[in-house]
Amino acid sequence: MPEIKVLSEEVISKIAAGEVIERPASVLKELIENSLDAGASRIEIEIKRAGRGLIRVHDDGRGMDREDLRLSLSRHATSKLNSFEDIYSLATFGFRGEALYSIFAVSRLKMSSCPAGSEFGFAIEGEGGRVTAEIPAPPVKGTTIEAADLFFNTPARAKFMKSDAAERAHLIKTVEEAALANLGTAFRLVIDGSEMFSLPVLPGGMWENLKSRASVIFGKSIYAGLARVEGKTSGMAVYGFVSRPDALAATRVNQHFFVNRRPVGSALLKQALYRGYGHMLTGRHPACALFVELDPGAFDANMHPQKRDVKFSSENEIFKTISGTVYEELLKKQTAAVELGTKAGGSKFAVSDVPGYREPQAPPQPAAETGGLFDFSPAGAEAPGPVPSDWRGQDLSYLGQLAKSYLLFECGAGLLVVDQHAAQERVLFEKYLEEFSTGVIKVQPLLVPLEAELSRSQMETALKWRDWMKTAGFEIDQRGPSVALLRAAPALFYFTQNAFSEFLGYLSEVLGEPEKAAEDVKKNIIATMACKKSIKAHDFVKPQEALRLMEDLKKAKDGHHCPHGRPTLFFLSAADIARRFQRSSAV
Ligand code: ADP
Ligand code: MG
């Protein structure tokens, strides 16, 4: 018969720790939540060696006396919950009374605290759940908790940790989310001795503070693409920032959702956001800091120890309110933008605006319906005129340029219309990939390096990929916590300051995700982005340049599409033209 044993307290505490403390960021999250619950107006965080070395959180909150300090370390010790019923109406963050107990079980812990007005502070030290010292501490109002050598006594768990860069990214995200959700508290984050950010509480209202924090946390370029949304229905409110439909990104890394100012991961909220973009989405992803305020009884966030999952009691209502708010606000802004655009003379020239571009029998475009007004899918891509397969073999005679964007050629008896930038991108793209795969990228050092302002997590990724970027012909350097420098680039490309900033910001989002993506995919991504952002030849094109571009395009493997898949050209046959004039024959 197997012998039944009762587990020792030490083993029990490690098991409990395993549930609550998954990685350094979970420790940090718990400590920050405790500081917020203690009413802190300022929280200072210090991290060493990606949280494995040290996680230190100092707050100016209400503090604990000697007795509370001791108690706080025991299991199910909490000052926030008296009865089980409270769980359903609790407005504070934690309730399980397990966090400090669990952190203590797997680290060397030092806590010092002093309640307001008290003359003495007090400190407790210990490791692996055992107290080793209780000593007086200076009477500094608030609490300081240091968790050092995380998982020192659970080597199996330590092995599950990801790279330093990955753990650091989680730590930074934890602070970013806390700072977005708690605008009345100042945050400062120091990692390995250097300040990542300091977010004071500014005079002015909630929006002022949210804006200034979002611009630091998202970085200037993503921030510039955000729109403010706000909506209300009975029993709930939604507000925050979401990407404008013309500023969507390649990945979802910059999405932050909050329910009652608590960061959450929720498929429902995510889906509702995406639904809010409807057809404007085009396979790309919005950034967001989206806040939902609900009656605390209307959802349950405590079923999972990590407390990121939420369950809502009325999912339909929430889904509708969020998607409806996002949709309406974006529609309003988009309509305003379109109206402005036409007043300014309509310098933006979309293919579908070309009179007579569509087949005459095609039904008229629905105007106010979802498709017409703000169709962000590649304009007109759904119905390009058939491309004569033999245009490569034909003599082209250059007719001229239209709207500084399109090159017109006579081809056979028809008209070949070429999107100049799309064609240039395609040619550049293939030349670069050719150089890349033969290993001979011509690199051009920059006399004056270009700068890119990045968010913290983008910078993490950029640094992680620095070596690979070098093989791609880009020499990246860091200056300060949020500025990356470009010292050399492939000679094929020419970037402006802004273009480089967008290129790198975007790239460090995309490269962040598919760590294990095939080399080909990564090459493709960097080539696509570089071509998009690199300056093309001048808008005005001389006839020889137009013809040379067509020679290059003829040689391209896929001359019919730009690297993003938009068509580079379409063809109006002589018969098409004749039909428009209601002639019975082509000529
Ligand atoms: P919980 O937060 O679920 O109550 P914890 O283990 O995280 O459980 O904390 C236990 C208790 O210790 C809290 O209820 C609170 O009374 C006290 N405490 C923890 N951190 C702080 C802090 N920074 N300031 C004041 N009190 C704290
Ligand atoms: Mg807690």
Side-chain angles (χ1 to χ4, degrees), residues 88-236:
Y88 291 97
S89 57
L90 205 71
T92 51
F93 290 99
F95 77 92
R96 297 166 62 97
E98 276 190 315
L100 285 182
Y101 170 82
S102 304
I103 295 166
F104 190 26
V106 291
S107 70
R108 301 187 215 277
L109 197 73
K110 241 188 227 177
M111 305 204 313
S112 60
S113 194
C114 178
S118 167
E119 281 172 52
F120 307 100
F122 206 74
I124 288 192
E125 294 181 19
E127 58 177 56
R130 277 193 317 275
V131 173
T132 54
E134 299 193 16
I135 44 177
V140 179
K141 183 188 176 237
T143 305
T144 305
I145 302 186
E146 294 182 13
D149 301 331
L150 190 62
F151 300 133
F152 78 98
N153 56 350
T154 53
R157 179 151 286 272
K159 269 193 217 133
F160 277 104
M161 281 206 274
K162 301 245 170 67
S163 68
D164 274 9
E167 296 300 344
R168 250 197 318 273
H170 279 283
L171 287 159
I172 294 170
K173 187 170 186 206
T174 302
V175 185
E176 288 175 344
E177 290 188 331
L180 285 171
N182 299 277
L183 303 169
T185 304
F187 285 83
R188 178 167 182 262
L189 173 62
V190 172
I191 296 190
D192 293 322
S194 60
E195 182 178 277
M196 294 296 280
F197 51 72
S198 179
L199 301 165
V201 178
L202 301 175
M206 185 254 338
W207 284 104
E208 284 316 304
N209 278 284
L210 188 54
K211 271 191 214 166
S212 98
R213 290 189 177 190
S215 77
V216 172
I217 286 164
F218 286 114
K220 294 218 170 71
S221 55
I222 294 177
Y223 174 75
L226 296 178
R228 173 173 161 175
V229 295
E230 223 175 339
K232 235 186 199 149
T233 50
S234 64
M236 76 175 285

Side-chain angles (χ1 to χ4, degrees), residues 365-377:
Q365 280 285 90
E369 243 247 353
T370 47
L373 192 52
F374 49 107
D375 187 354
F376 285 83
S377 61

Side-chain angles (χ1 to χ4, degrees), residues 494-564:
Y494 183 75
F495 297 98
T496 61
Q497 179 62 62
N498 269 349
F500 169 64
S501 174
E502 287 174 28
F503 163 69
L504 191 64
Y506 187 71
L507 197 69
S508 45
E509 275 178 53
V510 193
L511 289 179
E513 275 199 345
E515 266 196 68
K516 293 179 209 84
E519 189 66 15
D520 278 350
V521 175
K522 290 184 303 208
K523 280 185 186 171
N524 223 294
I525 291 172
I526 196 170
T528 311
M529 284 315 300
C531 293
K532 187 176 164 77
K533 291 299 170 192
S534 176
I535 290 205
K536 315 296 177 322
H538 310 294
D539 286 338
F540 175 72
V541 166
K542 295 189 195 123
Q544 311 91 285
E545 292 174 323
L547 288 165
R548 195 169 58 236
L549 178 63
M550 292 313 283
E551 284 312 306
D552 284 339
L553 198 63
K554 278 180 188 173
K555 285 184 228 134
K557 289 183 193 118
D558 178 1
H560 292 172
H561 299 96
C562 81
H564 304 89

Side-chain angles (χ1 to χ4, degrees), residues 114-431:
C114 178
S118 167
E119 281 172 52
F120 307 100
F122 206 74
I124 288 192
E125 294 181 19
E127 58 177 56
R130 277 193 317 275
V131 173
T132 54
E134 299 193 16
I135 44 177
V140 179
K141 183 188 176 237
T143 305
T144 305
I145 302 186
E146 294 182 13
D149 301 331
L150 190 62
F151 300 133
F152 78 98
N153 56 350
T154 53
R157 179 151 286 272
K159 269 193 217 133
F160 277 104
M161 281 206 274
K162 301 245 170 67
S163 68
D164 274 9
E167 296 300 344
R168 250 197 318 273
H170 279 283
L171 287 159
I172 294 170
K173 187 170 186 206
T174 302
V175 185
E176 288 175 344
E177 290 188 331
L180 285 171
N182 299 277
L183 303 169
T185 304
F187 285 83
R188 178 167 182 262
L189 173 62
V190 172
I191 296 190
D192 293 322
S194 60
E195 182 178 277
M196 294 296 280
F197 51 72
S198 179
L199 301 165
V201 178
L202 301 175
M206 185 254 338
W207 284 104
E208 284 316 304
N209 278 284
L210 188 54
K211 271 191 214 166
S212 98
R213 290 189 177 190
S215 77
V216 172
I217 286 164
F218 286 114
K220 294 218 170 71
S221 55
I222 294 177
Y223 174 75
L226 296 178
R228 173 173 161 175
V229 295
E230 223 175 339
K232 235 186 199 149
T233 50
S234 64
M236 76 175 285
V238 185
Y239 63 91
F241 289 111
V242 304
S243 292
R244 291 193 316 263
D246 58 343
L248 298 174
T251 74
R252 37 180 111 233
V253 288
N254 283 303
Q255 296 177 352
H256 305 282
F257 295 93
F258 304 86
V259 174
N260 292 6
R261 273 153 287 120
R262 178 199 310 227
V264 296
S266 153
L268 180 79
L269 299 187
K270 213 165 259 182
Q271 281 163 16
L273 170 73
Y274 280 75
R275 175 64 62 83
Y277 285 80
H279 58 282
M280 297 181 266
L281 211 51
T282 63
R284 294 163 61 76
H285 305 280
C288 74
L290 203 59
F291 297 83
V292 179
E293 302 292 334
L294 287 173
D295 177 52
F299 72 101
D300 179 358
N302 289 315
M303 284 311 169
H304 190 272
Q306 308 285 347
K307 291 179 282 186
R308 266 193 86 91
D309 287 349
V310 272
K311 285 204 180 76
F312 299 102
S313 54
S314 55
E315 300 199 335
N316 270 341
E317 194 64 28
I318 288 166
F319 187 91
K320 267 196 261 161
T321 306
I322 295 175
S323 55
T325 301
V326 171
Y327 186 77
E328 272 169 36
E329 296 268 317
L330 291 178
L331 177 58
K332 256 191 258 166
K333 290 189 169 88
Q334 220 41 66
T335 313
V338 168
E339 278 163 5
L340 270 178
T342 42
K343 268 193 210 118
S347 60
K348 270 195 202 142
F349 192 81
V351 177
S352 54
D353 294 334
V354 180
Y357 160 64
R358 281 169 199 286
E359 292 287 319
Q361 13 340 23
Q365 280 285 90
E369 243 247 353
T370 47
L373 192 52
F374 49 107
D375 187 354
F376 285 83
S377 61
E382 67 279 11
V387 177
S389 57
D390 58 347
W391 66 274
R392 293 170 200 253
Q394 302 231 5
D395 271 333
L396 300 176
S397 74
Y398 182 54
L399 300 174
Q401 196 187 30
L402 189 66
K404 286 188 181 163
S405 303
Y406 307 108
L407 308 178
L408 309 180
F409 297 87
E410 187 176 354
C411 171
L415 177 69
L416 190 63
V417 180
V418 178
D419 182 320
Q420 171 183 330
H421 288 278
Q424 284 167 342
E425 266 182 54
R426 163 55 60 182
V427 168
L428 205 54
F429 178 78
E430 293 201 6
K431 279 186 182 164

Side-chain angles (χ1 to χ4, degrees), residues 34-35 38 59 64 72 77-80 94-100 143:
N34 281 348
S35 295
D59 68 57
M64 288 173 273
S72 71
T78 174
S79 55
K80 298 161 196 168
F95 77 92
R96 297 166 62 97
E98 276 190 315
L100 285 182
T143 305

